[in-house]
Amino acid sequence: MSNYKFSISNHHAIKDANIDLNGITVLSGVNGSGKSTISRWLHYLVGGIVFFEDFALREFCEKLISMLYEFNDLHLPSNDAVVDRTYRETMFQIRSLRGHDDADKRALQLFNQTVDYFAKTLETTFEKNNVSQLAKNRIVKQLSIDNKNYHNGIRYYVEHQLAKAAEAHDIYTKKINDRNKRSFDEFVSKYFRIQEDYPKSCSLSEDNVNLISKTIGWLYNIKDSIYIETPIEVSTVGSDNFLWDDFQSQLILNKNHEMSLEEKKIAHRIKQEMAGDIYLQRKVVDDELRYKSLDGKMDIPVKQLATGFKAMTYILRLLENGDLTDKTLLIIDEPEAHLHPQWVVEFARILILIHKKLGTKIVLNSHNPDFISAIQSIAQNENVINNVTFYIAEKAPDSKLFVYKNIGQDVSDIFESFNVALERIEYYGTSTNRQ
């Protein structure tokens, strides 16, 4: 098992945080101490490294599709419906290439074939007598070619488009070969839609090898990062939150995964707690996750479930799709939010079992004493306590910023901070302090 360390300093509320990621990592601290900031940037960095090539391919394909839109926007008079459909089909095929071998070469080939088709269609349009001169003049103006020598003009325009596509492919090839920090930062900012400032000091290492420097390294034993914010919504409908949109899209996928025995056992436990199951209903516009009770009396969309139920459904869905493996980093922000105390404990047990049985690395943010205690006690009972590391955010001396202290498996410092709340209850509960 590889060892990982994530570090971030002097960013937002964080003075310094050096976080080990070797099993189950629990971050605790008051509101506004930077727990969510740590989680988000850990997700961004892991995702940026793992999907660097995918982001580069996506950027390349977007350039090709943008050029195809130029052709489509001409609305050539010759067989408009056929021409438009050809462009749309090519765009769809290019978008669908992600994950395929030689996807970049195939995308370029599709583009070149479509450009050739465009040139022939354009030639036909100019040769037909039933196409008005006004329509031809419009095309000539749009393409900036000579109306009197349109053959050469079309050839020049097509050669120029092919050269632009070849140049875009060269840029793509250079980016994936160089893996430089500048490209990495551009991809992370663009495809994670980051709205905040980039940390001045932020790093990730695997087995003491720094992966974020002038060039970007490779993660050998983490192949996916799943980030789940406080569970609010589970649907296919877009929201203002990219992280939720991204996660929801992952839930809707149907990967036809053959679950292992251990996955089935954990999934069965969740179904028993929920007294039901979930399934994916195919629809014309948006596929929909639905919950069906074991007695068959309830069958409703997951988005209409109580939020606590949603917390269980997303873990169940990830198990069914095979997304929780020993190559996965699962990050959950306040997993206990909206859960009844009984389910807080059960949810903690499920997470412990996912780590123990499936090898998934887990990062959790929490300031709930029941959840913290449950993680510690259940991990001890399941003999994985040595894989659990607790951190507490403490105010840095003479500063409003926080330093994250590694407290190992001893949570007494965390509970001491919880005692402040009890002291305030006692203080405000006395008759002399009610006002």
Side-chain angles (χ1 to χ4, degrees), residues 261-292:
L261 179 60
E262 296 298 346
E263 288 172 324
K264 289 178 180 178
K265 287 180 179 178
I266 300 172
H268 176 73
R269 188 178 189 93
I270 295 174
K271 293 174 186 178
Q272 291 300 116
E273 287 296 323
M274 292 169 46
D277 198 356
I278 58 172
Y279 68 95
L280 184 65
Q281 184 179 74
R282 296 296 186 186
K283 301 179 73 175
V284 176
V285 179
D286 289 313
D287 294 340
E288 183 177 66
L289 278 177
R290 297 183 67 87
Y291 166 84
K292 187 173 184 178

mmCIF file of all heavy atoms in Angstrom, residues 261-292:
data_model
loop_
_atom_site.group_PDB
_atom_site.id
_atom_site.type_symbol
_atom_site.label_atom_id
_atom_site.label_comp_id
_atom_site.label_asym_id
_atom_site.label_seq_id
_atom_site.Cartn_x
_atom_site.Cartn_y
_atom_site.Cartn_z
ATOM 1 N N LEU A 261 -18.487 -10.423 -3.653
ATOM 2 C CA LEU A 261 -19.201 -10.878 -2.464
ATOM 3 C C LEU A 261 -19.159 -9.825 -1.368
ATOM 4 O O LEU A 261 -20.171 -9.563 -0.698
ATOM 5 C CB LEU A 261 -18.605 -12.194 -1.959
ATOM 6 C CG LEU A 261 -19.241 -12.780 -0.690
ATOM 7 C CD1 LEU A 261 -20.721 -13.062 -0.916
ATOM 8 C CD2 LEU A 261 -18.500 -14.055 -0.260
ATOM 9 N N GLU A 262 -17.992 -9.199 -1.177
ATOM 10 C CA GLU A 262 -17.860 -8.179 -0.133
ATOM 11 C C GLU A 262 -18.722 -6.961 -0.449
ATOM 12 O O GLU A 262 -19.350 -6.378 0.444
ATOM 13 C CB GLU A 262 -16.392 -7.765 0.030
ATOM 14 C CG GLU A 262 -15.465 -8.874 0.515
ATOM 15 C CD GLU A 262 -15.845 -9.380 1.904
ATOM 16 O OE1 GLU A 262 -16.643 -8.720 2.602
ATOM 17 O OE2 GLU A 262 -15.330 -10.447 2.293
ATOM 18 N N GLU A 263 -18.761 -6.552 -1.716
ATOM 19 C CA GLU A 263 -19.616 -5.421 -2.108
ATOM 20 C C GLU A 263 -21.084 -5.756 -1.852
ATOM 21 O O GLU A 263 -21.847 -4.909 -1.365
ATOM 22 C CB GLU A 263 -19.401 -5.108 -3.588
ATOM 23 C CG GLU A 263 -18.065 -4.447 -3.903
ATOM 24 C CD GLU A 263 -17.806 -4.336 -5.388
ATOM 25 O OE1 GLU A 263 -18.198 -5.258 -6.136
ATOM 26 O OE2 GLU A 263 -17.200 -3.329 -5.815
ATOM 27 N N LYS A 264 -21.469 -6.979 -2.184
ATOM 28 C CA LYS A 264 -22.858 -7.396 -1.970
ATOM 29 C C LYS A 264 -23.230 -7.372 -0.490
ATOM 30 O O LYS A 264 -24.345 -6.979 -0.126
ATOM 31 C CB LYS A 264 -23.080 -8.786 -2.547
ATOM 32 C CG LYS A 264 -23.068 -8.843 -4.074
ATOM 33 C CD LYS A 264 -23.251 -10.275 -4.563
ATOM 34 C CE LYS A 264 -23.244 -10.337 -6.087
ATOM 35 N NZ LYS A 264 -23.372 -11.736 -6.580
ATOM 36 N N LYS A 265 -22.297 -7.788 0.367
ATOM 37 C CA LYS A 265 -22.575 -7.805 1.806
ATOM 38 C C LYS A 265 -22.813 -6.396 2.338
ATOM 39 O O LYS A 265 -23.739 -6.148 3.120
ATOM 40 C CB LYS A 265 -21.414 -8.464 2.556
ATOM 41 C CG LYS A 265 -21.331 -9.978 2.381
ATOM 42 C CD LYS A 265 -20.153 -10.527 3.173
ATOM 43 C CE LYS A 265 -20.048 -12.043 3.050
ATOM 44 N NZ LYS A 265 -18.878 -12.566 3.792
ATOM 45 N N ILE A 266 -21.951 -5.462 1.926
ATOM 46 C CA ILE A 266 -22.107 -4.081 2.384
ATOM 47 C C ILE A 266 -23.395 -3.487 1.817
ATOM 48 O O ILE A 266 -24.151 -2.796 2.518
ATOM 49 C CB ILE A 266 -20.887 -3.232 1.986
ATOM 50 C CG1 ILE A 266 -19.607 -3.805 2.613
ATOM 51 C CG2 ILE A 266 -21.074 -1.772 2.428
ATOM 52 C CD1 ILE A 266 -18.327 -3.156 2.116
ATOM 53 N N ALA A 267 -23.653 -3.751 0.529
ATOM 54 C CA ALA A 267 -24.872 -3.246 -0.108
ATOM 55 C C ALA A 267 -26.115 -3.799 0.588
ATOM 56 O O ALA A 267 -27.100 -3.066 0.812
ATOM 57 C CB ALA A 267 -24.890 -3.613 -1.590
ATOM 58 N N HIS A 268 -26.085 -5.066 0.955
ATOM 59 C CA HIS A 268 -27.220 -5.680 1.650
ATOM 60 C C HIS A 268 -27.472 -4.993 2.983
ATOM 61 O O HIS A 268 -28.631 -4.750 3.362
ATOM 62 C CB HIS A 268 -26.951 -7.171 1.871
ATOM 63 C CG HIS A 268 -28.021 -7.873 2.657
ATOM 64 N ND1 HIS A 268 -29.264 -8.168 2.118
ATOM 65 C CD2 HIS A 268 -28.058 -8.315 3.947
ATOM 66 C CE1 HIS A 268 -30.001 -8.766 3.031
ATOM 67 N NE2 HIS A 268 -29.292 -8.870 4.150
ATOM 68 N N ARG A 269 -26.409 -4.659 3.680
ATOM 69 C CA ARG A 269 -26.542 -3.982 4.970
ATOM 70 C C ARG A 269 -27.225 -2.624 4.792
ATOM 71 O O ARG A 269 -28.093 -2.237 5.580
ATOM 72 C CB ARG A 269 -25.152 -3.801 5.597
ATOM 73 C CG ARG A 269 -25.198 -3.293 7.027
ATOM 74 C CD ARG A 269 -23.807 -3.172 7.616
ATOM 75 N NE ARG A 269 -23.904 -2.895 9.034
ATOM 76 C CZ ARG A 269 -23.888 -3.820 9.989
ATOM 77 N NH1 ARG A 269 -23.782 -5.092 9.653
ATOM 78 N NH2 ARG A 269 -23.994 -3.499 11.258
ATOM 79 N N ILE A 270 -26.836 -1.897 3.727
ATOM 80 C CA ILE A 270 -27.443 -0.592 3.459
ATOM 81 C C ILE A 270 -28.929 -0.755 3.133
ATOM 82 O O ILE A 270 -29.778 -0.009 3.629
ATOM 83 C CB ILE A 270 -26.709 0.117 2.302
ATOM 84 C CG1 ILE A 270 -25.259 0.434 2.711
ATOM 85 C CG2 ILE A 270 -27.430 1.399 1.904
ATOM 86 C CD1 ILE A 270 -24.416 0.994 1.589
ATOM 87 N N LYS A 271 -29.240 -1.737 2.302
ATOM 88 C CA LYS A 271 -30.646 -1.958 1.921
ATOM 89 C C LYS A 271 -31.511 -2.290 3.137
ATOM 90 O O LYS A 271 -32.661 -1.861 3.221
ATOM 91 C CB LYS A 271 -30.732 -3.073 0.887
ATOM 92 C CG LYS A 271 -30.114 -2.719 -0.454
ATOM 93 C CD LYS A 271 -30.106 -3.920 -1.392
ATOM 94 C CE LYS A 271 -29.359 -3.608 -2.677
ATOM 95 N NZ LYS A 271 -29.305 -4.779 -3.597
ATOM 96 N N GLN A 272 -30.937 -3.050 4.054
ATOM 97 C CA GLN A 272 -31.692 -3.391 5.260
ATOM 98 C C GLN A 272 -31.952 -2.148 6.102
ATOM 99 O O GLN A 272 -33.040 -1.980 6.660
ATOM 100 C CB GLN A 272 -30.938 -4.446 6.081
ATOM 101 C CG GLN A 272 -30.863 -5.821 5.434
ATOM 102 C CD GLN A 272 -32.247 -6.412 5.178
ATOM 103 O OE1 GLN A 272 -32.645 -6.643 4.044
ATOM 104 N NE2 GLN A 272 -32.984 -6.670 6.249
ATOM 105 N N GLU A 273 -30.969 -1.280 6.207
ATOM 106 C CA GLU A 273 -31.151 -0.042 6.966
ATOM 107 C C GLU A 273 -32.191 0.860 6.306
ATOM 108 O O GLU A 273 -32.994 1.503 6.982
ATOM 109 C CB GLU A 273 -29.820 0.707 7.089
ATOM 110 C CG GLU A 273 -28.829 0.087 8.051
ATOM 111 C CD GLU A 273 -29.325 0.100 9.491
ATOM 112 O OE1 GLU A 273 -29.986 1.093 9.880
ATOM 113 O OE2 GLU A 273 -29.075 -0.870 10.217
ATOM 114 N N MET A 274 -32.157 0.900 4.974
ATOM 115 C CA MET A 274 -33.084 1.746 4.223
ATOM 116 C C MET A 274 -34.460 1.102 4.077
ATOM 117 O O MET A 274 -35.406 1.775 3.653
ATOM 118 C CB MET A 274 -32.530 2.016 2.817
ATOM 119 C CG MET A 274 -31.287 2.876 2.773
ATOM 120 S SD MET A 274 -30.538 2.864 1.127
ATOM 121 C CE MET A 274 -31.955 3.101 0.083
ATOM 122 N N ALA A 275 -34.538 -0.188 4.376
ATOM 123 C CA ALA A 275 -35.776 -0.954 4.152
ATOM 124 C C ALA A 275 -36.236 -0.814 2.706
ATOM 125 O O ALA A 275 -37.429 -0.681 2.406
ATOM 126 C CB ALA A 275 -36.877 -0.509 5.109
ATOM 127 N N GLY A 276 -35.252 -0.830 1.799
ATOM 128 C CA GLY A 276 -35.587 -0.696 0.389
ATOM 129 C C GLY A 276 -34.351 -0.764 -0.484
ATOM 130 O O GLY A 276 -33.243 -1.011 -0.013
ATOM 131 N N ASP A 277 -34.555 -0.530 -1.763
ATOM 132 C CA ASP A 277 -33.483 -0.602 -2.753
ATOM 133 C C ASP A 277 -33.631 0.575 -3.708
ATOM 134 O O ASP A 277 -34.657 1.273 -3.712
ATOM 135 C CB ASP A 277 -33.566 -1.933 -3.516
ATOM 136 C CG ASP A 277 -32.265 -2.284 -4.232
ATOM 137 O OD1 ASP A 277 -31.330 -1.455 -4.189
ATOM 138 O OD2 ASP A 277 -32.205 -3.372 -4.821
ATOM 139 N N ILE A 278 -32.621 0.810 -4.518
ATOM 140 C CA ILE A 278 -32.705 1.853 -5.537
ATOM 141 C C ILE A 278 -32.504 1.216 -6.904
ATOM 142 O O ILE A 278 -31.877 0.171 -7.037
ATOM 143 C CB ILE A 278 -31.661 2.967 -5.312
ATOM 144 C CG1 ILE A 278 -30.239 2.402 -5.302
ATOM 145 C CG2 ILE A 278 -31.947 3.745 -4.055
ATOM 146 C CD1 ILE A 278 -29.166 3.473 -5.279
ATOM 147 N N TYR A 279 -33.074 1.862 -7.905
ATOM 148 C CA TYR A 279 -32.882 1.389 -9.268
ATOM 149 C C TYR A 279 -32.895 2.581 -10.217
ATOM 150 O O TYR A 279 -33.374 3.675 -9.876
ATOM 151 C CB TYR A 279 -33.962 0.372 -9.656
ATOM 152 C CG TYR A 279 -35.362 0.931 -9.776
ATOM 153 C CD1 TYR A 279 -35.873 1.338 -11.009
ATOM 154 C CD2 TYR A 279 -36.182 1.055 -8.648
ATOM 155 C CE1 TYR A 279 -37.156 1.851 -11.122
ATOM 156 C CE2 TYR A 279 -37.474 1.557 -8.758
ATOM 157 C CZ TYR A 279 -37.951 1.955 -10.000
ATOM 158 O OH TYR A 279 -39.216 2.464 -10.104
ATOM 159 N N LEU A 280 -32.348 2.383 -11.415
ATOM 160 C CA LEU A 280 -32.257 3.449 -12.410
ATOM 161 C C LEU A 280 -33.382 3.282 -13.415
ATOM 162 O O LEU A 280 -33.490 2.246 -14.073
ATOM 163 C CB LEU A 280 -30.903 3.408 -13.117
ATOM 164 C CG LEU A 280 -30.623 4.530 -14.119
ATOM 165 C CD1 LEU A 280 -30.556 5.878 -13.405
ATOM 166 C CD2 LEU A 280 -29.311 4.266 -14.860
ATOM 167 N N GLN A 281 -34.212 4.285 -13.529
ATOM 168 C CA GLN A 281 -35.304 4.263 -14.499
ATOM 169 C C GLN A 281 -34.906 5.066 -15.732
ATOM 170 O O GLN A 281 -34.601 6.253 -15.644
ATOM 171 C CB GLN A 281 -36.575 4.853 -13.885
ATOM 172 C CG GLN A 281 -37.784 4.781 -14.810
ATOM 173 C CD GLN A 281 -39.032 5.358 -14.170
ATOM 174 O OE1 GLN A 281 -39.169 6.575 -14.036
ATOM 175 N NE2 GLN A 281 -39.942 4.491 -13.739
ATOM 176 N N ARG A 282 -34.892 4.397 -16.872
ATOM 177 C CA ARG A 282 -34.558 5.066 -18.123
ATOM 178 C C ARG A 282 -35.715 5.952 -18.566
ATOM 179 O O ARG A 282 -36.869 5.525 -18.592
ATOM 180 C CB ARG A 282 -34.247 4.036 -19.212
ATOM 181 C CG ARG A 282 -33.017 3.189 -18.927
ATOM 182 C CD ARG A 282 -31.779 4.040 -18.896
ATOM 183 N NE ARG A 282 -30.560 3.241 -18.765
ATOM 184 C CZ ARG A 282 -29.357 3.766 -18.591
ATOM 185 N NH1 ARG A 282 -29.216 5.076 -18.528
ATOM 186 N NH2 ARG A 282 -28.297 2.996 -18.473
ATOM 187 N N LYS A 283 -35.388 7.205 -18.939
ATOM 188 C CA LYS A 283 -36.406 8.146 -19.394
ATOM 189 C C LYS A 283 -35.930 8.814 -20.676
ATOM 190 O O LYS A 283 -34.741 8.773 -21.015
ATOM 191 C CB LYS A 283 -36.697 9.184 -18.309
ATOM 192 C CG LYS A 283 -37.193 8.580 -17.000
ATOM 193 C CD LYS A 283 -37.443 9.633 -15.943
ATOM 194 C CE LYS A 283 -38.658 10.442 -16.223
ATOM 195 N NZ LYS A 283 -38.959 11.396 -15.130
ATOM 196 N N VAL A 284 -36.853 9.437 -21.389
ATOM 197 C CA VAL A 284 -36.518 10.044 -22.669
ATOM 198 C C VAL A 284 -35.511 11.172 -22.505
ATOM 199 O O VAL A 284 -34.532 11.277 -23.245
ATOM 200 C CB VAL A 284 -37.797 10.583 -23.362
ATOM 201 C CG1 VAL A 284 -37.435 11.320 -24.658
ATOM 202 C CG2 VAL A 284 -38.759 9.436 -23.657
ATOM 203 N N VAL A 285 -35.720 12.021 -21.504
ATOM 204 C CA VAL A 285 -34.843 13.188 -21.320
ATOM 205 C C VAL A 285 -33.759 12.894 -20.290
ATOM 206 O O VAL A 285 -32.579 12.852 -20.619
ATOM 207 C CB VAL A 285 -35.668 14.422 -20.895
ATOM 208 C CG1 VAL A 285 -34.746 15.622 -20.685
ATOM 209 C CG2 VAL A 285 -36.719 14.738 -21.943
ATOM 210 N N ASP A 286 -34.137 12.699 -19.043
ATOM 211 C CA ASP A 286 -33.172 12.464 -17.969
ATOM 212 C C ASP A 286 -33.479 11.141 -17.276
ATOM 213 O O ASP A 286 -34.606 10.918 -16.827
ATOM 214 C CB ASP A 286 -33.234 13.599 -16.928
ATOM 215 C CG ASP A 286 -32.676 14.907 -17.463
ATOM 216 O OD1 ASP A 286 -31.591 14.855 -18.051
ATOM 217 O OD2 ASP A 286 -33.338 15.939 -17.290
ATOM 218 N N ASP A 287 -32.456 10.267 -17.189
ATOM 219 C CA ASP A 287 -32.635 9.048 -16.405
ATOM 220 C C ASP A 287 -32.829 9.429 -14.938
ATOM 221 O O ASP A 287 -32.374 10.485 -14.486
ATOM 222 C CB ASP A 287 -31.414 8.136 -16.551
ATOM 223 C CG ASP A 287 -31.270 7.609 -17.966
ATOM 224 O OD1 ASP A 287 -32.271 7.619 -18.699
ATOM 225 O OD2 ASP A 287 -30.153 7.199 -18.336
ATOM 226 N N GLU A 288 -33.491 8.561 -14.195
ATOM 227 C CA GLU A 288 -33.862 8.920 -12.828
ATOM 228 C C GLU A 288 -33.588 7.773 -11.868
ATOM 229 O O GLU A 288 -33.967 6.630 -12.117
ATOM 230 C CB GLU A 288 -35.344 9.275 -12.792
ATOM 231 C CG GLU A 288 -35.856 9.729 -11.445
ATOM 232 C CD GLU A 288 -37.313 10.131 -11.519
ATOM 233 O OE1 GLU A 288 -38.163 9.257 -11.767
ATOM 234 O OE2 GLU A 288 -37.597 11.335 -11.342
ATOM 235 N N LEU A 289 -32.906 8.090 -10.754
ATOM 236 C CA LEU A 289 -32.744 7.121 -9.681
ATOM 237 C C LEU A 289 -34.002 7.111 -8.824
ATOM 238 O O LEU A 289 -34.517 8.168 -8.444
ATOM 239 C CB LEU A 289 -31.535 7.491 -8.809
ATOM 240 C CG LEU A 289 -30.150 7.080 -9.296
ATOM 241 C CD1 LEU A 289 -29.092 7.599 -8.341
ATOM 242 C CD2 LEU A 289 -30.044 5.574 -9.446
ATOM 243 N N ARG A 290 -34.488 5.907 -8.510
ATOM 244 C CA ARG A 290 -35.703 5.785 -7.719
ATOM 245 C C ARG A 290 -35.475 4.835 -6.549
ATOM 246 O O ARG A 290 -34.630 3.934 -6.620
ATOM 247 C CB ARG A 290 -36.866 5.277 -8.584
ATOM 248 C CG ARG A 290 -37.254 6.221 -9.708
ATOM 249 C CD ARG A 290 -38.451 5.699 -10.485
ATOM 250 N NE ARG A 290 -39.673 5.679 -9.676
ATOM 251 C CZ ARG A 290 -40.499 6.702 -9.552
ATOM 252 N NH1 ARG A 290 -40.253 7.857 -10.160
ATOM 253 N NH2 ARG A 290 -41.595 6.588 -8.812
ATOM 254 N N TYR A 291 -36.229 5.061 -5.488
ATOM 255 C CA TYR A 291 -36.207 4.210 -4.299
ATOM 256 C C TYR A 291 -37.484 3.383 -4.257
ATOM 257 O O TYR A 291 -38.581 3.908 -4.478
ATOM 258 C CB TYR A 291 -36.110 5.067 -3.035
ATOM 259 C CG TYR A 291 -36.416 4.318 -1.758
ATOM 260 C CD1 TYR A 291 -35.439 3.566 -1.114
ATOM 261 C CD2 TYR A 291 -37.705 4.361 -1.206
ATOM 262 C CE1 TYR A 291 -35.730 2.882 0.060
ATOM 263 C CE2 TYR A 291 -38.002 3.683 -0.034
ATOM 264 C CZ TYR A 291 -37.006 2.935 0.596
ATOM 265 O OH TYR A 291 -37.301 2.253 1.746
ATOM 266 N N LYS A 292 -37.322 2.090 -3.962
ATOM 267 C CA LYS A 292 -38.480 1.205 -3.823
ATOM 268 C C LYS A 292 -38.363 0.465 -2.504
ATOM 269 O O LYS A 292 -37.357 -0.190 -2.232
ATOM 270 C CB LYS A 292 -38.549 0.212 -4.981
ATOM 271 C CG LYS A 292 -39.814 -0.629 -4.987
ATOM 272 C CD LYS A 292 -39.896 -1.484 -6.255
ATOM 273 C CE LYS A 292 -41.215 -2.253 -6.302
ATOM 274 N NZ LYS A 292 -41.330 -3.041 -7.558
#
